[in-house]
Amino acid sequence: MARIKCLELNISEVCNYNCEYCIFHRNIKNKSIMSPWMAESVVKKYIKYLAGNSGHIYLGAGEPLLNWEAILRVVDVLRSNDNIWLSFMTNGSLITEEKLIFIKENNISVGLSLDGKKETQLRNRPSKDEGINSFEAAINFLKLANKIGYEVFSISATYNKKDFLEDAKFVISLCKKYKIKEFDLDYDIDAIVIDDMNEIVDNLIDAYNLARRNGLRVFGYWLIPIINKRNKNMSKLCYCDNADGSNVCVSANGMCKICGYDSHEYGLFDNFDDFGNKELVAKYKQYDSGRSDCLNCDCYRFCKGQCIFKKDINRINCKLIKTILLREKELLK
């Protein structure tokens, strides 16, 4: 397998929001908080494994700021390792000026989850705490970042209704206002309705092109087949880096996983050499089996069978991918 470029460390699998479309919380029933000492231990092993090479640690799964102590431990271990990039996504509701200053001083890349205007944000991303307004929390996060001169890495939006262009425009305007360089744009796979396909694709393309015209980077899982199609190195194509073993996950309870969204676990994590173990690799490769319905499809070389652990995914997503590929020329490069 390829060298592990990214460690997804699930320091918090719990969240203080009940987002409509959250894949993680659909798939993972038993959620927990990683102990700070475990986070420290895994990071030390990752540093040893990298042996001076560059790497990436992503604090994934739920809301990372629910486990601030683990973040402090991870940062402390990384102080002498400038070659490792540390990042996470947040809903912004738990941030304080003190914490954000710490994040800035330690060069942590943080993205914000925000879906659009107030009505959409409150519907899609309701807080479990009635005292927290998810829209106001996100805007306050942006204002605080602007106040202390911290550059938010990205704003991430996921949609599950067919008409979302106005909300996407609002997010793009915030990116411009607060000098955010990346817009992560996605659509909830499980919410796709075949009769709405053309309108969904129209909205995705229009939002993508507007963001690109405003100088933003754009990423979304629906874009991966397009990215692959435009990649001249066909031998290196995959749906995501988890699919070829470049990324691995350690869950909050210390178990090896191929992806943070997956419910499958492959035993208690010991060291990164495990991911070179033939038996473990064979388990990973099971995700690529049973795709006989994909192998004769013209799109397979670009989508690579889609998400590696959702083999039984509603095939309507295939229609989305095929439609996007047919309309590739409409997407700005």
Side-chain angles (χ1 to χ4, degrees), residues 265-306:
E265 296 177 335
Y266 297 105
L268 192 65
F269 172 81
D270 183 32
N271 61 70
F272 286 91
D273 292 332
D274 287 347
F275 295 97
N277 180 284
K278 290 182 179 180
E279 182 179 351
L280 186 61
V281 171
K283 291 179 179 179
Y284 274 28
K285 290 300 182 182
Q286 73 177 337
Y287 289 102
D288 290 326
S289 64
R291 291 191 182 275
S292 57
D293 56 335
C294 294
L295 297 179
N296 295 322
C297 175
D298 290 339
C299 297
Y300 179 69
R301 56 187 173 142
F302 303 125
C303 79
K304 306 306 291 185
Q306 306 172 47

CSV table of all heavy atoms in Angstrom, one decimal, residues 265-306:
chain,number,residue,atom,x,y,z
A,265,GLU,N,-14.5,-2.0,11.8
A,265,GLU,CA,-13.2,-1.9,12.6
A,265,GLU,C,-12.4,-3.1,12.4
A,265,GLU,O,-12.9,-4.2,12.2
A,265,GLU,CB,-13.5,-1.6,14.0
A,265,GLU,CG,-14.3,-0.3,14.3
A,265,GLU,CD,-14.6,-0.2,15.8
A,265,GLU,OE1,-14.7,-1.2,16.5
A,265,GLU,OE2,-14.8,1.0,16.2
A,266,TYR,N,-11.0,-2.9,12.4
A,266,TYR,CA,-10.1,-4.0,12.0
A,266,TYR,C,-9.2,-4.3,13.2
A,266,TYR,O,-8.0,-4.7,12.9
A,266,TYR,CB,-9.3,-3.7,10.8
A,266,TYR,CG,-10.2,-3.5,9.6
A,266,TYR,CD1,-10.6,-2.3,9.1
A,266,TYR,CD2,-10.8,-4.7,9.0
A,266,TYR,CE1,-11.4,-2.2,8.0
A,266,TYR,CE2,-11.7,-4.6,7.9
A,266,TYR,CZ,-12.0,-3.3,7.4
A,266,TYR,OH,-12.8,-3.2,6.4
A,267,GLY,N,-9.6,-4.2,14.4
A,267,GLY,CA,-8.8,-4.5,15.5
A,267,GLY,C,-8.2,-3.3,16.2
A,267,GLY,O,-8.1,-2.2,15.6
A,268,LEU,N,-7.7,-3.4,17.4
A,268,LEU,CA,-7.1,-2.3,18.1
A,268,LEU,C,-5.8,-1.8,17.5
A,268,LEU,O,-4.9,-2.6,17.1
A,268,LEU,CB,-6.8,-2.8,19.5
A,268,LEU,CG,-6.4,-1.7,20.6
A,268,LEU,CD1,-7.6,-0.8,20.8
A,268,LEU,CD2,-6.0,-2.3,21.9
A,269,PHE,N,-5.7,-0.5,17.3
A,269,PHE,CA,-4.5,0.1,16.7
A,269,PHE,C,-3.3,-0.2,17.6
A,269,PHE,O,-3.3,0.0,18.8
A,269,PHE,CB,-4.7,1.6,16.5
A,269,PHE,CG,-3.5,2.3,16.0
A,269,PHE,CD1,-3.1,2.3,14.7
A,269,PHE,CD2,-2.6,2.9,16.9
A,269,PHE,CE1,-1.9,2.9,14.3
A,269,PHE,CE2,-1.5,3.6,16.5
A,269,PHE,CZ,-1.1,3.6,15.2
A,270,ASP,N,-2.2,-0.6,16.9
A,270,ASP,CA,-0.9,-0.8,17.6
A,270,ASP,C,0.1,0.1,17.0
A,270,ASP,O,0.8,0.9,17.7
A,270,ASP,CB,-0.5,-2.2,17.6
A,270,ASP,CG,0.8,-2.5,18.4
A,270,ASP,OD1,1.0,-1.8,19.4
A,270,ASP,OD2,1.6,-3.3,18.0
A,271,ASN,N,0.4,0.0,15.7
A,271,ASN,CA,1.3,0.9,15.1
A,271,ASN,C,1.0,0.9,13.6
A,271,ASN,O,0.2,0.1,13.1
A,271,ASN,CB,2.8,0.4,15.3
A,271,ASN,CG,3.0,-1.0,14.8
A,271,ASN,OD1,3.0,-1.2,13.5
A,271,ASN,ND2,3.1,-2.0,15.6
A,272,PHE,N,1.7,1.9,12.9
A,272,PHE,CA,1.3,2.1,11.5
A,272,PHE,C,1.9,1.1,10.6
A,272,PHE,O,1.4,0.9,9.4
A,272,PHE,CB,1.8,3.5,11.1
A,272,PHE,CG,1.0,4.6,11.7
A,272,PHE,CD1,1.3,5.2,12.9
A,272,PHE,CD2,-0.2,5.0,11.0
A,272,PHE,CE1,0.5,6.1,13.4
A,272,PHE,CE2,-1.0,6.0,11.6
A,272,PHE,CZ,-0.7,6.6,12.8
A,273,ASP,N,2.8,0.2,11.1
A,273,ASP,CA,3.2,-0.9,10.3
A,273,ASP,C,2.1,-1.9,10.0
A,273,ASP,O,2.2,-2.7,9.1
A,273,ASP,CB,4.4,-1.6,10.9
A,273,ASP,CG,5.7,-0.7,10.9
A,273,ASP,OD1,5.8,0.2,10.0
A,273,ASP,OD2,6.5,-0.8,11.9
A,274,ASP,N,1.1,-1.9,10.9
A,274,ASP,CA,-0.1,-2.8,10.7
A,274,ASP,C,-0.7,-2.6,9.3
A,274,ASP,O,-1.2,-3.5,8.7
A,274,ASP,CB,-1.2,-2.5,11.7
A,274,ASP,CG,-0.8,-3.0,13.1
A,274,ASP,OD1,0.2,-3.7,13.2
A,274,ASP,OD2,-1.4,-2.6,14.1
A,275,PHE,N,-0.6,-1.4,8.8
A,275,PHE,CA,-1.3,-1.1,7.5
A,275,PHE,C,-0.4,-1.5,6.3
A,275,PHE,O,-0.8,-1.3,5.2
A,275,PHE,CB,-1.5,0.4,7.4
A,275,PHE,CG,-2.5,0.9,8.5
A,275,PHE,CD1,-2.1,1.4,9.7
A,275,PHE,CD2,-3.9,0.7,8.3
A,275,PHE,CE1,-3.1,1.8,10.6
A,275,PHE,CE2,-4.8,1.0,9.2
A,275,PHE,CZ,-4.4,1.6,10.4
A,276,GLY,N,0.7,-2.2,6.6
A,276,GLY,CA,1.4,-2.9,5.6
A,276,GLY,C,1.3,-4.4,5.7
A,276,GLY,O,1.8,-5.1,4.9
A,277,ASN,N,0.5,-4.8,6.7
A,277,ASN,CA,0.2,-6.2,6.9
A,277,ASN,C,-0.7,-6.8,5.9
A,277,ASN,O,-1.7,-6.2,5.5
A,277,ASN,CB,-0.5,-6.4,8.3
A,277,ASN,CG,-0.8,-7.8,8.7
A,277,ASN,OD1,-1.7,-8.4,8.1
A,277,ASN,ND2,0.0,-8.4,9.5
A,278,LYS,N,-0.3,-7.9,5.3
A,278,LYS,CA,-1.0,-8.5,4.1
A,278,LYS,C,-2.5,-8.8,4.5
A,278,LYS,O,-3.4,-8.7,3.7
A,278,LYS,CB,-0.3,-9.7,3.6
A,278,LYS,CG,1.0,-9.4,2.9
A,278,LYS,CD,1.7,-10.7,2.4
A,278,LYS,CE,3.0,-10.3,1.6
A,278,LYS,NZ,3.6,-11.6,1.1
A,279,GLU,N,-2.7,-9.3,5.7
A,279,GLU,CA,-4.0,-9.7,6.1
A,279,GLU,C,-4.9,-8.5,6.2
A,279,GLU,O,-6.1,-8.5,5.8
A,279,GLU,CB,-4.0,-10.4,7.5
A,279,GLU,CG,-5.3,-10.9,8.0
A,279,GLU,CD,-5.2,-11.6,9.3
A,279,GLU,OE1,-4.1,-11.9,9.8
A,279,GLU,OE2,-6.3,-11.8,9.9
A,280,LEU,N,-4.4,-7.4,6.8
A,280,LEU,CA,-5.2,-6.2,6.9
A,280,LEU,C,-5.4,-5.6,5.5
A,280,LEU,O,-6.6,-5.1,5.2
A,280,LEU,CB,-4.4,-5.1,7.7
A,280,LEU,CG,-5.2,-3.9,8.0
A,280,LEU,CD1,-6.5,-4.2,8.8
A,280,LEU,CD2,-4.4,-2.9,8.8
A,281,VAL,N,-4.4,-5.6,4.6
A,281,VAL,CA,-4.6,-5.1,3.3
A,281,VAL,C,-5.7,-5.9,2.6
A,281,VAL,O,-6.5,-5.3,1.8
A,281,VAL,CB,-3.3,-5.2,2.5
A,281,VAL,CG1,-3.5,-4.8,1.0
A,281,VAL,CG2,-2.3,-4.2,3.1
A,282,ALA,N,-5.7,-7.2,2.8
A,282,ALA,CA,-6.7,-8.0,2.1
A,282,ALA,C,-8.1,-7.6,2.6
A,282,ALA,O,-9.1,-7.6,1.8
A,282,ALA,CB,-6.5,-9.5,2.5
A,283,LYS,N,-8.3,-7.3,3.9
A,283,LYS,CA,-9.6,-6.8,4.4
A,283,LYS,C,-9.9,-5.5,3.7
A,283,LYS,O,-11.1,-5.3,3.4
A,283,LYS,CB,-9.5,-6.6,5.9
A,283,LYS,CG,-9.4,-8.0,6.6
A,283,LYS,CD,-9.3,-7.7,8.1
A,283,LYS,CE,-9.2,-9.0,8.9
A,283,LYS,NZ,-9.1,-8.8,10.4
A,284,TYR,N,-9.0,-4.6,3.5
A,284,TYR,CA,-9.2,-3.3,2.9
A,284,TYR,C,-9.7,-3.6,1.4
A,284,TYR,O,-10.6,-2.9,1.0
A,284,TYR,CB,-7.9,-2.5,2.8
A,284,TYR,CG,-7.7,-1.6,4.0
A,284,TYR,CD1,-8.2,-2.0,5.3
A,284,TYR,CD2,-7.0,-0.5,3.9
A,284,TYR,CE1,-8.0,-1.3,6.4
A,284,TYR,CE2,-6.7,0.3,5.1
A,284,TYR,CZ,-7.2,-0.1,6.3
A,284,TYR,OH,-7.0,0.7,7.4
A,285,LYS,N,-9.0,-4.5,0.8
A,285,LYS,CA,-9.3,-4.8,-0.6
A,285,LYS,C,-10.7,-5.4,-0.9
A,285,LYS,O,-11.2,-5.4,-2.0
A,285,LYS,CB,-8.2,-5.7,-1.2
A,285,LYS,CG,-6.9,-5.0,-1.4
A,285,LYS,CD,-6.9,-3.7,-2.3
A,285,LYS,CE,-5.6,-3.1,-2.4
A,285,LYS,NZ,-5.7,-1.8,-3.2
A,286,GLN,N,-11.3,-5.9,0.2
A,286,GLN,CA,-12.7,-6.4,0.0
A,286,GLN,C,-13.6,-5.4,-0.5
A,286,GLN,O,-14.7,-5.7,-1.1
A,286,GLN,CB,-13.2,-7.0,1.3
A,286,GLN,CG,-13.6,-6.0,2.3
A,286,GLN,CD,-14.2,-6.6,3.6
A,286,GLN,OE1,-14.6,-7.7,3.6
A,286,GLN,NE2,-14.1,-5.8,4.7
A,287,TYR,N,-13.3,-4.1,-0.3
A,287,TYR,CA,-14.2,-3.1,-0.8
A,287,TYR,C,-14.2,-3.0,-2.3
A,287,TYR,O,-15.2,-2.4,-2.9
A,287,TYR,CB,-13.8,-1.7,-0.2
A,287,TYR,CG,-14.0,-1.6,1.3
A,287,TYR,CD1,-13.0,-1.7,2.2
A,287,TYR,CD2,-15.3,-1.3,1.8
A,287,TYR,CE1,-13.2,-1.6,3.6
A,287,TYR,CE2,-15.5,-1.2,3.1
A,287,TYR,CZ,-14.5,-1.3,4.0
A,287,TYR,OH,-14.7,-1.2,5.4
A,288,ASP,N,-13.2,-3.5,-2.9
A,288,ASP,CA,-13.1,-3.4,-4.4
A,288,ASP,C,-13.7,-4.7,-5.0
A,288,ASP,O,-13.7,-4.8,-6.3
A,288,ASP,CB,-11.7,-3.2,-4.8
A,288,ASP,CG,-11.2,-1.9,-4.5
A,288,ASP,OD1,-11.9,-0.9,-4.5
A,288,ASP,OD2,-10.0,-1.7,-4.2
A,289,SER,N,-14.2,-5.6,-4.3
A,289,SER,CA,-14.7,-6.8,-4.8
A,289,SER,C,-16.2,-6.7,-5.1
A,289,SER,O,-16.9,-5.8,-4.5
A,289,SER,CB,-14.5,-8.0,-3.9
A,289,SER,OG,-15.1,-7.8,-2.7
A,290,GLY,N,-16.8,-7.5,-5.9
A,290,GLY,CA,-18.2,-7.5,-6.1
A,290,GLY,C,-18.7,-6.3,-6.9
A,290,GLY,O,-19.8,-5.9,-6.7
A,291,ARG,N,-17.8,-5.8,-7.7
A,291,ARG,CA,-18.2,-4.6,-8.5
A,291,ARG,C,-18.4,-5.0,-9.9
A,291,ARG,O,-18.1,-4.2,-10.8
A,291,ARG,CB,-17.2,-3.5,-8.3
A,291,ARG,CG,-17.2,-2.9,-6.9
A,291,ARG,CD,-16.4,-1.6,-6.9
A,291,ARG,NE,-16.3,-1.0,-5.6
A,291,ARG,CZ,-17.2,-0.2,-5.1
A,291,ARG,NH1,-18.3,0.1,-5.8
A,291,ARG,NH2,-17.0,0.3,-3.9
A,292,SER,N,-18.9,-6.1,-10.2
A,292,SER,CA,-19.1,-6.6,-11.6
A,292,SER,C,-20.0,-5.7,-12.4
A,292,SER,O,-19.8,-5.5,-13.6
A,292,SER,CB,-19.6,-8.0,-11.6
A,292,SER,OG,-20.8,-8.1,-10.9
A,293,ASP,N,-21.0,-5.0,-11.7
A,293,ASP,CA,-21.9,-4.1,-12.4
A,293,ASP,C,-21.2,-2.8,-12.7
A,293,ASP,O,-21.7,-2.1,-13.6
A,293,ASP,CB,-23.1,-3.8,-11.5
A,293,ASP,CG,-22.7,-3.3,-10.1
A,293,ASP,OD1,-21.6,-3.6,-9.7
A,293,ASP,OD2,-23.5,-2.6,-9.5
A,294,CYS,N,-20.0,-2.6,-12.1
A,294,CYS,CA,-19.3,-1.3,-12.4
A,294,CYS,C,-18.3,-1.5,-13.6
A,294,CYS,O,-18.0,-0.6,-14.3
A,294,CYS,CB,-18.6,-0.8,-11.2
A,294,CYS,SG,-19.6,-0.3,-9.8
A,295,LEU,N,-17.7,-2.7,-13.6
A,295,LEU,CA,-16.5,-2.9,-14.5
A,295,LEU,C,-16.8,-2.6,-16.0
A,295,LEU,O,-15.9,-2.3,-16.7
A,295,LEU,CB,-16.0,-4.3,-14.3
A,295,LEU,CG,-15.5,-4.6,-12.9
A,295,LEU,CD1,-15.0,-6.1,-12.8
A,295,LEU,CD2,-14.4,-3.7,-12.5
A,296,ASN,N,-18.0,-2.8,-16.4
A,296,ASN,CA,-18.4,-2.6,-17.8
A,296,ASN,C,-18.9,-1.2,-18.1
A,296,ASN,O,-19.4,-0.9,-19.2
A,296,ASN,CB,-19.4,-3.7,-18.3
A,296,ASN,CG,-18.8,-5.1,-18.3
A,296,ASN,OD1,-17.6,-5.2,-18.6
A,296,ASN,ND2,-19.5,-6.0,-17.9
A,297,CYS,N,-18.9,-0.4,-17.1
A,297,CYS,CA,-19.4,1.0,-17.2
A,297,CYS,C,-18.3,1.9,-17.7
A,297,CYS,O,-17.2,1.9,-17.1
A,297,CYS,CB,-20.0,1.4,-15.9
A,297,CYS,SG,-20.6,3.2,-15.9
A,298,ASP,N,-18.6,2.8,-18.6
A,298,ASP,CA,-17.6,3.8,-19.1
A,298,ASP,C,-17.2,4.7,-18.0
A,298,ASP,O,-16.1,5.3,-18.1
A,298,ASP,CB,-18.2,4.6,-20.3
A,298,ASP,CG,-18.4,3.7,-21.5
A,298,ASP,OD1,-17.8,2.6,-21.6
A,298,ASP,OD2,-19.2,4.1,-22.4
A,299,CYS,N,-18.0,5.0,-17.0
A,299,CYS,CA,-17.7,5.9,-16.0
A,299,CYS,C,-16.7,5.3,-14.9
A,299,CYS,O,-16.2,6.1,-14.1
A,299,CYS,CB,-18.9,6.4,-15.3
A,299,CYS,SG,-20.0,7.4,-16.4
A,300,TYR,N,-16.6,4.0,-14.8
A,300,TYR,CA,-15.9,3.4,-13.7
A,300,TYR,C,-14.5,3.8,-13.6
A,300,TYR,O,-13.9,4.0,-12.5
A,300,TYR,CB,-16.0,1.8,-13.9
A,300,TYR,CG,-15.2,1.1,-12.8
A,300,TYR,CD1,-15.7,1.1,-11.5
A,300,TYR,CD2,-14.0,0.4,-13.1
A,300,TYR,CE1,-15.0,0.4,-10.5
A,300,TYR,CE2,-13.3,-0.3,-12.1
A,300,TYR,CZ,-13.8,-0.2,-10.8
A,300,TYR,OH,-13.1,-0.9,-9.8
A,301,ARG,N,-13.8,4.1,-14.8
A,301,ARG,CA,-12.4,4.5,-14.7
A,301,ARG,C,-12.2,5.8,-14.1
A,301,ARG,O,-11.1,6.2,-13.7
A,301,ARG,CB,-11.8,4.5,-16.1
A,301,ARG,CG,-12.5,5.3,-17.1
A,301,ARG,CD,-12.0,5.1,-18.5
A,301,ARG,NE,-12.7,5.8,-19.5
A,301,ARG,CZ,-12.2,6.4,-20.6
A,301,ARG,NH1,-10.9,6.4,-20.8
A,301,ARG,NH2,-13.0,7.0,-21.4
A,302,PHE,N,-13.3,6.6,-14.0
A,302,PHE,CA,-13.2,7.9,-13.4
A,302,PHE,C,-13.8,7.9,-11.9
A,302,PHE,O,-13.3,8.6,-11.1
A,302,PHE,CB,-14.0,9.0,-14.2
A,302,PHE,CG,-13.5,9.0,-15.6
A,302,PHE,CD1,-14.3,8.9,-16.7
A,302,PHE,CD2,-12.1,9.3,-15.9
A,302,PHE,CE1,-13.9,9.0,-18.0
A,302,PHE,CE2,-11.6,9.3,-17.2
A,302,PHE,CZ,-12.5,9.2,-18.2
A,303,CYS,N,-14.9,7.2,-11.7
A,303,CYS,CA,-15.5,7.2,-10.4
A,303,CYS,C,-14.9,6.1,-9.5
A,303,CYS,O,-15.1,6.1,-8.3
A,303,CYS,CB,-17.0,7.1,-10.5
A,303,CYS,SG,-17.6,5.4,-10.8
A,304,LYS,N,-14.3,5.1,-10.1
A,304,LYS,CA,-13.7,4.0,-9.4
A,304,LYS,C,-14.7,3.3,-8.5
A,304,LYS,O,-14.3,2.8,-7.4
A,304,LYS,CB,-12.4,4.4,-8.6
A,304,LYS,CG,-11.4,5.1,-9.5
A,304,LYS,CD,-11.0,4.3,-10.7
A,304,LYS,CE,-10.2,3.1,-10.4
A,304,LYS,NZ,-9.7,2.4,-11.6
A,305,GLY,N,-15.9,3.2,-8.9
A,305,GLY,CA,-16.9,2.5,-8.1
A,305,GLY,C,-17.5,3.3,-6.9
A,305,GLY,O,-18.2,2.8,-6.1
A,306,GLN,N,-17.2,4.6,-6.9
A,306,GLN,CA,-17.6,5.5,-5.9
A,306,GLN,C,-17.1,5.2,-4.5
A,306,GLN,O,-16.0,4.6,-4.4
A,306,GLN,CB,-19.2,5.6,-5.8
A,306,GLN,CG,-19.8,5.9,-7.2
A,306,GLN,CD,-21.3,5.7,-7.1
A,306,GLN,OE1,-22.0,6.2,-6.2
A,306,GLN,NE2,-21.8,5.1,-8.1
